[in-house]
Amino acid sequence: MTDELKIPSHVAIIMDGNGRWARRRGLPRVMGHYQGAQVAEDIVEYATELGIRHLTLYAFSTENWNRPKEEVEALFKLLEDYLRNKKQKLYDLKIRVRFIGRRDRIPKTLVELMKQIEEESKHFNRLTLNLAIDYGGRDEILRAVRKLLKDNPKVINEETFSQYLDLSCSPDPDLLIRTAGEKRISNFLLWNIAYTEFYFTDTLWPDFTREEFLKAIKDFSKRKRKFGRVIDE
Ligand code: IPE
Ligand code: IPE
Ligand code: MG
């Protein structure tokens, strides 16, 4: 048995449990989102230190529109403020930032900022950070199909189809982490997680730490990925 650490090339995270974290402290839910954003910032930095090349974070799902209007508004404000204040730090870390999801329903000022950040960071390649905002896996597949029908390409195979999806700049995730005890996908990256390894933890996202991230990677390192083949033990 080897304890060698295998650094996954692409880690995806469903950052869940902000609301519960706040509730347990008698705080408004938005305080949980605020704390969660700080944790995300630290995990992004740690991912660069570990040599992870792609990190995808689920920030707002197509279903999250069904939350109270005040929470939705607070989430977009937090996202926009955070991106505005932290973009220089991301550039200093040589991070390329990409956004996945729809752009037709979210605040216009946020869309402008997203475009600016994608442009300003496009030549960095230490880590590609994909932020999923108004993202849903089914919505993504439908958008790809509509575009495909318009383009009407001669060949449609898995490789060409993937190029129509939002994550076209990153390989499929090797590891998907979900915090806060829920064991479901909640419409995240449906196409791309065909062979992804899953790691679930009860820790609420605002309590998630570098140590726990490393624990998930150690766990991943022990997995035998078979991709449908027979591997001699
Ligand atoms: C995840 O935390 C953040 C978003 C979905 C935006 P939640 O807000 O879902 O927290 P819980 O699940 O209610 O605890
Ligand atoms: C998934 O979490 C979406 C994000 C983390 C952004 P949710 O809290 O929205 O998922 P459900 O509702 O528990 O499935
Ligand atoms: Mg939740």
Side-chain angles (χ1 to χ4, degrees):
M1 259 317 275
T2 160
D3 281 346
E4 192 199 340
L5 196 62
K6 282 191 208 131
I7 299 295
S9 157
H10 184 176
V11 180
I13 309 182
I14 302 176
M15 310 180 289
D16 197 16
N18 295 352
R20 277 163 279 177
W21 183 90
R23 210 190 147 104
R24 282 178 200 172
R25 284 167 175 72
L27 297 168
R29 288 177 57 85
V30 60
M31 290 306 291
H33 297 314
Y34 183 79
Q35 186 60 32
Q38 323 251 43
V39 171
E41 181 185 349
D42 190 51
I43 293 299
V44 167
E45 191 169 344
Y46 189 43
T48 62
E49 290 169 18
L50 286 173
I52 291 167
R53 302 302 304 276
H54 303 265
L55 180 67
T56 300
L57 302 180
Y58 207 2
F60 191 91
S61 76
T62 49
E63 287 71 33
N64 287 150
W65 289 107
N66 298 319
R67 294 187 176 201
K69 191 164 166 272
E70 305 74 57
E71 178 167 347
V72 171
E73 279 172 4
L75 271 168
F76 284 122
K77 184 169 179 334
L78 176 66
L79 265 168
E80 191 169 332
D81 288 350
Y82 221 80
L83 286 170
R84 229 178 267 289
N85 294 331
K86 303 293 174 180
K87 65 183 168 69
Q88 191 55 50
K89 177 178 173 189
L90 296 170
Y91 304 162
D92 292 343
L93 288 167
K94 304 278 175 279
I95 294 175
R96 178 183 193 184
V97 187
R98 310 258 311 163
F99 296 91
I100 64 173
R102 307 174 53 141
R103 300 197 181 184
D104 56 334
R105 307 189 290 194
I106 60 179
K108 293 285 162 287
T109 48
L110 176 59
V111 176
E112 283 313 307
L113 181 62
M114 283 158 53
K115 281 194 211 147
Q116 184 196 346
I117 292 176
E118 280 186 335
E119 184 58 31
E120 287 173 354
S121 69
K122 69 178 181 200
H123 50 285
F124 297 133
N125 70 357
R126 185 169 176 206
L127 170 84
T128 298
L129 173 64
N130 302 295
L131 293 175
I133 299 178
D134 198 4
Y135 174 88
R138 288 186 172 178
D139 176 77
E140 177 193 31
I141 290 170
L142 284 181
R143 279 187 285 112
V145 169
R146 281 187 212 113
K147 189 149 188 294
L148 205 74
L149 285 173
K150 245 196 224 145
D151 289 2
N152 195 21
K154 287 218 166 52
V155 183
I156 303 176
N157 55 31
E158 291 189 7
E159 203 183 319
T160 56
F161 185 75
S162 297
Q163 281 157 16
Y164 281 82
L165 293 168
D166 294 353
L167 266 187
S168 56
C169 291
S170 295
D172 287 345
D174 301 293
L175 172 64
L176 178 119
I177 298 171
R178 181 171 188 146
T179 59
E182 249 59 75
K183 292 177 184 67
R184 53 176 173 259
I185 290 303
S186 302
N187 205 9
F188 197 35
L189 304 177
L190 298 181
W191 170 276
N192 312 267
I193 56 169
Y195 263 101
T196 299
E197 299 290 330
F198 292 173
Y199 181 90
F200 296 106
T201 170
D202 287 338
T203 304
L204 304 176
W205 178 251
D207 290 327
F208 195 76
T209 56
R210 289 180 173 221
E211 289 70 38
E212 182 135 24
F213 191 55
L214 188 60
K215 194 173 154 211
I217 291 170
K218 282 185 179 155
D219 190 276
F220 167 82
S221 302
K222 289 195 222 116
R223 310 266 181 107
K224 265 202 185 68
R225 303 185 77 188
K226 304 207 290 190
F227 300 100
R229 295 168 306 199
V230 175
I231 308 277
D232 284 333
E233 303 283 332

